[in-house]
Amino acid sequence: MRGFGELSFEEAKGRCNGDIYWRRRPQGLDLAMSRIAWRSEDGDGDLRGWLGKDVMGNGDLGGSVGKLNKTCYLKLSEEDRREMSVIWVNIGLIFVLISHGTEASYHEQRDFDQCLSNGPMYYKGLYHLFYQYNPFGPLWRKNITWAHSISSDLINWVHLDHALHPIDPFDINGCWSGSTTFLDGKIPAILYTGIDSQNREVQNLALPKNPSDPFLLEWSKSPHNPLMIPTNGLEPDWFRDPTTAWLGPDKIWRVVVGAQIDGKGMAILYKSKDFVKWNRTDYPLHSSAKTNMWECPDFFPVSVNSTNGIDFSDDQDQFNTKHVLKASFNSHDYYTLGKYVAKTDEFAVETDFLDVVGWDLRLDYGKFYASKAFYDGATQRRILWAWVNESDSDLDSVNKGWSGLQTFPRSIILSKSGRQLIQWPIKEIEKLRSDKVDLQKKLDLKGGSEFEVFGVTASQADVEVTFDVEELKKAELFDPSWVDPQLLCSQKNASVRGEIGPFGLLALASKDLTEQTAIFFRIYKSNEKYIVLMCSDQSRSSLREGLDKTTYGAFVDLDPTKEKITLRSLIDHSIVESFGGEGRTCITARVYPKLAIDKDAHLYAFNYGSKSVKISKLNAWSIKSAQFVTMKGEEYQ
């Protein structure tokens, strides 16, 4: 790295005012990968210099600093941090790179059970992701811990020691979902749900032992735990998943906890002056009699007139800010938009959950649950993760030794119309692109035809396609009884021919198309307007039996007379994340092909409608595998 590579071994040792102990790096480990950040024990703890190639002295030596007797400082600029494309690898690491079979190779996963994402944040130059994790097997058990991974770029990850273990009376039956909050002085705090020795869901606090440590390796649970317990009508098994807290204009903290009372889902609001003693308010932030338990709620502001993300700590113009309340129920993540008045804690929704049949707002209409967003202050954006569970059996998970994935990180903004959120894969994903293929001229895709996209690894690809539909007046009439888009996609799957559509992509397809995951659109006409339906059809995704092959669908809020229809799909062996209408509608599929794996997978654009559609743009890339590294506690010392 700049400013460090020029140092000799002796100069680096001198800067540290102490001894540096070396161990040989494992044979075959790239020297450029053998870098570790130096941690400060008595400074402000910001990310410091890197042990670079020129500092390693002898070329066959490498790896790690075994011990630093004194603090060693070499400050990196923010630009330097951004250039870190590979994260720290220590001596003796287990290098895990999953890139075979039907296992995803650039979605983060670990051996055993990786579940709901918790507490993502950006802290001292590093991204942190915590998540529910069973260290003893791939299935849900009461020994759920908070696992912990870090990254410099949200793509390549280092798995650290677990942050929270279920060993205390207030969490002895599991450390479950929660969030992180930056307290005064920008110190991160974890609020999480523990299941206590009485099998009650209670809310607990943990703080870093050393806030100057950018890795945040060790956490201490508060002696005041539990901070919130289920009383006054709260049911002990329907009270969980605290959000990121926020500070009101009265300098009092607020936090929301998901709950269910008398069969009604709600976001219970608590307040605290010191982040330890919490009092429940008289009324919830919001509730709905149309829903049951709200799991993993999330509450955050979005800008009306900017594509930048905003944080609760920012000065917010009430007229140029909306707030998002997300709740996980019915196996999906729903959200509503509204106005939040900080002085009174009133949240007035524009459209409530499940109020508009067929047009309910969801973050994703496929296999996507328990999402968590955070504000990335380094890039002024809000980023979202979610859990994607398996579509095969528990026995399959046991045989694989793991289950569950995290989605690609997505950026979130408010649409120009202000009616919904827009999601898009973060820009860093483009670092993984290679072998670009693009369409040199417009392609007329006749009805009943396919066009194979050659030149990319179809089992691991990023593809963007733009469709131009010219014969809109020939669209079929929309039946007003078609109020459920998912049911409509199931009834009119990719094999059912229409007038305009189905057209889209066939991902993870076998050569003879007996296996395929179809992501497609149909266009209907209704009262001089047009309705765009987007589907993700898993019905032919695999020849294997015993799989969940649910077909998903949603309407897309766009006018095809004024804009073209776009689709971007990220394909990673057993997961397909699709973004329609520039991110207005997102559908995630989890599939397990038997034939269409690795080099035997194919990618097609297709049109099975009667009318032709044009492809005005098609860009596709192979995607390289992300890098995952596991570090154990003794390797930080």
Side-chain angles (χ1 to χ4, degrees):
M1 299 298 295
R2 289 198 308 274
F4 197 102
E6 298 170 358
L7 295 179
S8 68
F9 176 82
E10 291 300 324
E11 288 173 324
K13 180 176 176 180
R15 290 280 186 96
C16 293
N17 298 317
D19 295 327
I20 299 179
Y21 297 93
W22 300 86
R23 289 179 286 180
R24 289 184 178 275
R25 69 183 165 89
Q27 187 175 7
L29 183 64
D30 186 358
L31 192 62
M33 294 281 290
S34 300
R35 295 175 174 171
I36 188 168
W38 295 354
R39 285 193 293 122
S40 163
E41 295 183 357
D42 55 12
D44 65 9
D46 203 358
L47 188 63
R48 298 295 172 177
W50 284 73
L51 187 61
K53 185 172 182 179
D54 293 337
V55 185
M56 293 183 182
N58 197 326
D60 65 352
L61 294 175
S64 66
V65 176
K67 180 179 179 182
L68 297 178
N69 290 341
K70 300 288 185 179
T71 300
C72 181
Y73 285 1
L74 279 174
K75 188 168 185 179
L76 285 174
S77 67
E78 187 67 28
E79 182 180 358
D80 287 329
R81 292 184 189 131
R82 286 296 170 200
E83 289 186 0
M84 300 172 191
S85 60
V86 178
I87 316 176
W88 326 273
V89 178
N90 207 342
I91 293 299
L93 298 184
I94 302 171
F95 188 75
V96 182
L97 182 60
I98 303 171
S99 59
H100 61 277
T102 59
E103 297 178 1
S105 55
Y106 57 90
H107 285 76
E108 190 185 3
Q109 60 185 51
R110 292 187 68 164
D111 289 343
F112 299 146
D113 190 40
Q114 176 173 306
C115 297
L116 287 61
S117 53
N118 297 308
M121 63 179 172
Y122 180 80
Y123 185 67
K124 294 187 181 298
L126 296 175
Y127 294 98
H128 292 254
L129 178 66
F130 305 91
Y131 45 91
Q132 291 176 27
Y133 179 71
N134 176 4
F136 304 109
L139 306 179
W140 291 94
R141 293 293 184 267
K142 290 184 177 181
N143 52 16
I144 290 294
T145 67
W146 266 42
H148 183 195
S149 298
I150 55 174
S151 173
S152 67
D153 59 4
L154 293 168
I155 301 299
N156 305 294
W157 290 88
V158 173
H159 301 314
L160 305 179
D161 278 348
H162 305 330
L164 300 176
H165 298 266
I167 56 176
D168 296 287
F170 48 80
D171 62 12
I172 194 66
N173 288 309
C175 299
W176 301 86
S177 287
S179 303
T180 53
T181 300
F182 288 111
L183 304 181
D184 298 336
K186 296 298 182 182
I187 295 175
I190 290 174
L191 284 174
Y192 71 98
T193 297
I195 300 182
D196 69 7
S197 56
Q198 303 175 52
N199 280 317
R200 302 179 305 172
E201 294 175 353
V202 299
Q203 315 314 319
N204 303 313
L205 171 65
L207 295 168
K209 287 185 178 181
N210 179 14
S212 67
D213 174 14
F215 296 147
L216 297 174
L217 296 176
E218 297 181 286
W219 292 80
S220 296
K221 298 174 186 176
S222 171
H224 303 286
N225 287 339
L227 308 187
M228 292 165 261
I229 60 176
T231 59
N232 300 325
L234 288 171
E235 300 180 42
D237 52 353
W238 300 114
F239 176 59
R240 55 184 177 267
D241 310 338
T243 64
T244 297
W246 68 97
L247 199 62
D250 53 5
K251 303 304 178 184
I252 294 176
W253 288 100
R254 279 94 164 147
V255 71
V256 160
V257 181
Q260 175 181 300
I261 297 179
D262 297 329
K264 180 188 296 186
M266 60 184 61
I268 303 293
L269 183 64
Y270 285 83
K271 292 184 178 182
S272 175
K273 292 181 179 180
D274 59 3
F275 219 80
V276 172
K277 184 179 180 181
W278 292 88
N279 297 305
R280 179 179 165 187
T281 61
D282 293 335
Y283 301 98
L285 181 70
H286 191 56
S287 64
S288 173
K290 295 182 178 180
T291 68
N292 51 21
M293 173 68 192
W294 288 2
E295 293 190 293
C296 304
D298 210 356
F299 188 60
F300 55 86
V302 288
S303 175
V304 171
N305 52 18
S306 172
T307 57
N308 287 339
I310 53 177
D311 194 18
F312 267 113
S313 61
D314 299 332
D315 291 330
Q316 295 173 26
D317 182 347
Q318 185 175 343
F319 297 101
N320 291 308
T321 303
K322 289 187 179 184
H323 282 75
V324 179
L325 175 62
K326 187 275 297 185
S328 302
F329 57 87
N330 294 351
S331 301
H332 292 285
D333 276 20
Y334 296 80
Y335 71 91
T336 185
L337 299 169
K339 288 289 185 180
Y340 169 66
V341 181
K343 290 183 179 180
T344 62
D345 291 313
E346 293 178 280
F347 179 57
V349 301
E350 296 174 352
T351 303
D352 211 344
F353 294 118
L354 307 181
D355 267 5
V356 183
V357 178
W359 289 91
D360 51 82
L361 295 174
R362 303 184 201 177
L363 293 175
D364 192 292
Y365 293 83
K367 191 172 282 289
F368 177 106
Y369 195 69
S371 62
K372 180 59 186 173
F374 78 102
Y375 176 70
D376 178 7
T379 57
Q380 292 187 302
R381 58 185 171 174
R382 186 162 290 274
I383 296 174
L384 175 80
W385 264 294
W387 170 49
V388 182
N389 66 342
E390 301 302 312
S391 293
D392 54 5
S393 68
D394 285 351
L395 180 59
D396 289 320
S397 295
V398 171
N399 291 334
K400 288 183 297 187
W402 59 270
S403 66
L405 298 171
Q406 302 294 337
T407 60
F408 280 107
R410 304 175 181 183
S411 62
I412 313 173
I413 61 173
L414 188 67
S415 67
K416 292 180 180 179
S417 70
R419 294 191 294 261
Q420 67 175 115
L421 296 176
I422 299 293
Q423 298 170 74
W424 199 249
I426 60 169
K427 190 171 181 60
E428 286 88 336
I429 292 169
E430 296 176 10
K431 294 180 180 179
L432 298 174
R433 289 173 168 176
S434 64
D435 305 325
K436 182 180 179 181
V437 172
D438 60 349
L439 198 64
Q440 297 297 318
K441 59 181 180 180
K442 286 187 178 182
L443 174 67
D444 190 9
L445 206 56
K446 302 291 185 181
S449 65
E450 301 102 10
F451 171 78
E452 184 163 5
V453 181
F454 292 101
V456 297
T457 304
S459 60
Q460 202 168 313
D462 183 355
V463 56
E464 297 178 345
V465 59
T466 300
F467 296 98
D468 192 358
V469 182
E470 297 179 345
E471 297 185 82
L472 287 171
K473 292 184 179 180
K474 302 292 181 64
E476 300 164 77
L477 290 177
F478 184 79
D479 187 331
S481 68
W482 294 342
V483 295
D484 184 340
Q486 182 172 344
L487 178 61
L488 183 56
C489 286
S490 297
Q491 294 171 341
K492 296 181 178 291
N493 61 30
S495 64
V496 178
R497 189 167 189 172
E499 289 297 318
I500 303 181
F503 60 88
L505 294 173
L506 299 178
L508 298 175
S510 58
K511 185 63 177 178
D512 61 2
L513 297 179
T514 55
E515 284 187 339
Q516 56 179 259
T517 295
I519 310 99
F520 63 86
F521 301 94
R522 293 180 185 270
I523 300 178
Y524 298 98
K525 183 166 55 177
S526 176
N527 298 325
E528 302 305 319
K529 295 182 179 179
Y530 294 96
I531 294 175
V532 178
L533 176 70
M534 177 178 169
C535 304
S536 181
D537 179 6
Q538 279 77 251
S539 63
R540 298 175 63 188
S541 60
S542 178
L543 296 180
R544 284 178 55 188
E545 300 295 331
L547 301 177
D548 176 9
K549 300 179 185 178
T550 301
T551 291
Y552 300 105
F555 297 119
V556 187
D557 185 18
L558 67 80
D559 183 351
T561 65
K562 297 180 180 178
E563 58 182 306
K564 297 177 181 180
I565 295 176
T566 65
L567 175 63
R568 180 179 180 185
S569 289
L570 296 168
I571 305 160
D572 189 10
H573 293 282
S574 64
I575 184 169
V576 182
E577 294 186 51
S578 296
F579 303 81
E582 302 290 348
R584 293 177 180 90
T585 300
C586 309
I587 305 179
T588 297
R590 191 85 166 94
V591 297
Y592 305 92
K594 186 176 181 179
L595 303 177
I597 60 175
D598 297 333
K599 294 181 180 180
D600 292 324
H602 298 262
L603 174 65
Y604 298 87
F606 80 99
N607 174 24
Y608 292 162
S610 299
K611 306 304 178 186
S612 296
V613 297
K614 287 185 171 59
I615 297 178
S616 55
K617 184 178 76 171
L618 191 153
N619 294 323
W621 298 263
S622 296
I623 294 294
K624 295 176 289 185
S625 296
Q627 294 157 347
F628 299 96
V629 172
T630 300
M631 297 176 71
K632 297 300 181 183
E634 64 271 12
E635 293 167 335
Y636 320 129
Q637 302 304 316

